[in-house]
Amino acid sequence: MSSGVCGTGESLVEAAGKLQPDVIVTDISMPKLNGIDAAYQLRESGSLSKIIFLTVHADPDFVQAALKTGAVAYIWKLRIEADLLVAIEEVLAGRIFVSSLESAV
């Protein structure tokens, strides 16, 4: 099993092309190429990786923008302990997962 850590959206796209991971956990706010644009590039390149956004952005517009890229999960960072493993299990089972953002707005 391979894993990688990337500091920019550009390096995410490059690493995903090389590693071809089952799951990618990324943020929206990244230097050089934001996570949403990186997710679009991954889809355009034919990547089949399941994309999970892990982010501080609790605005529903960000959730919609992320899911529009083909991402299958959206986790609010304040819910990481409760939601990350659940989200990974859900997306690997073919379901979409979105953290409860009620306390965020």
Side-chain angles (χ1 to χ4, degrees):
M1 178 164 111
S2 296
S3 64
V5 177
C6 302
T8 69
E10 288 176 349
S11 63
L12 168 64
V13 173
E14 182 180 330
K18 291 178 183 175
L19 297 173
Q20 298 181 358
D22 293 327
V23 176
I24 294 172
V25 179
T26 189
D27 199 345
I28 289 174
S29 300
M30 293 192 299
K32 296 189 180 181
L33 182 68
N34 70 56
I36 290 175
D37 290 340
Y40 277 121
Q41 284 190 17
L42 288 168
R43 290 297 171 241
E44 288 173 5
S45 72
S47 173
L48 299 176
S49 299
K50 296 180 183 327
I51 300 172
I52 296 174
F53 278 95
L54 175 61
T55 184
V56 297
H57 300 287
D59 186 307
D61 290 338
F62 280 107
V63 177
Q64 289 178 349
L67 296 177
K68 189 175 177 183
T69 70
V72 291
Y74 193 96
I75 303 167
W76 188 36
K77 282 187 178 178
L78 291 179
R79 295 205 35 93
I80 190 172
E81 286 185 36
D83 291 351
L84 183 58
L85 291 179
V86 173
I88 292 170
E89 290 172 354
E90 289 293 304
V91 302
L92 289 175
R95 294 182 288 270
I96 293 174
F97 181 89
V98 176
S99 285
S100 171
L101 303 177
E102 287 181 14
S103 59
V105 289

